[in-house]
Amino acid sequence: MLDQSYYQKADEIIAVYGKKPSSLIPVMQDIQGEYRYLPGELLTYVAREIGVKEAKAYSVATFYENFSFEQKGKYIIKVCDGTACHVKKSTAILDAFFKELGLSSKKHTTDDMLFTVETVSCLGACGLAPTCTVNDEVHPNMTPEKVVDLIAELRGER
């Protein structure tokens, strides 16, 4: 059960876009921007408030990869595995993040909810390969050693 503040925030967001079906995606984007994930219970509430069937709301949320029903960490790290990055050994970068944070291909978020690591098909920064982003800030020419430094910096250890 979500805290009442989630519903209040959803109401504020809905007020910005209006109680209409065309508001669904921007409302979902803003909710995910606020909480770093889309709580399923809140999506049901939003659907009812804007006049969309619950099944339609879930259909939209599961169609777009950008939406997530799983809680994410404070720092969302996206490791590019597009062609340019892959050729320049982005898998070693991903492995370094997994090792440094105790994560795996099955576990993407640290227990302390500080870090989430994901792979993406392309970040659009091929000339800077291999690349990752942390909360949409680009980190170019990554190496496994730079991964260790970046994690230490984010933890406030440097």
Side-chain angles (χ1 to χ4, degrees):
M1 182 95 186
L2 292 175
D3 183 75
Q4 189 60 36
S5 64
Y6 281 73
Y7 298 100
Q8 292 167 342
K9 186 64 179 178
D11 287 338
E12 290 172 19
I13 293 169
I14 290 168
V16 171
Y17 297 102
K19 287 189 174 190
K20 55 189 185 239
S22 62
S23 299
L24 179 62
I25 291 176
V27 167
M28 289 176 10
Q29 288 174 317
D30 285 7
I31 288 172
Q32 182 156 299
E34 182 74 22
Y35 301 111
R36 295 185 304 277
Y37 82 112
L38 191 59
E41 194 176 318
L42 202 54
L43 182 58
T44 299
Y45 174 79
V46 166
R48 187 174 59 246
E49 289 296 305
I50 66 172
V52 193
K53 291 187 186 293
E54 185 177 357
K56 170 78 172 178
Y58 275 88
S59 153
V60 170
T62 56
F63 177 78
Y64 293 104
E65 274 188 37
N66 186 49
F67 294 116
S68 174
F69 290 112
E70 294 180 23
Q71 284 187 291
K72 295 188 179 189
K74 176 180 178 182
Y75 299 108
I76 300 172
I77 300 166
K78 295 181 181 180
V79 179
C80 182
D81 196 34
T83 304
C85 289
H86 188 80
V87 167
K88 291 198 169 188
K89 311 279 190 249
S90 63
T91 51
I93 306 308
L94 181 62
D95 290 344
F97 276 116
F98 283 168
K99 181 180 178 192
E100 189 66 19
L101 297 171
L103 299 175
S104 69
S105 60
K106 294 187 190 296
K107 182 181 180 191
H108 298 275
T109 301
T110 57
D111 292 337
D112 61 6
M113 297 303 292
L114 203 54
F115 299 98
T116 296
V117 177
E118 305 172 334
T119 56
V120 294
S121 297
C122 186
L123 290 171
C126 301
L128 305 173
T131 307
C132 73
T133 60
V134 178
N135 295 350
D136 299 323
E137 179 184 319
V138 176
H139 293 268
N141 306 307
M142 288 300 292
T143 64
E145 296 76 26
K146 286 183 179 180
V147 166
V148 173
D149 292 340
L150 177 59
I151 295 300
E153 180 184 325
L154 294 170
R155 284 183 169 144
E157 297 169 356
R158 295 193 179 168

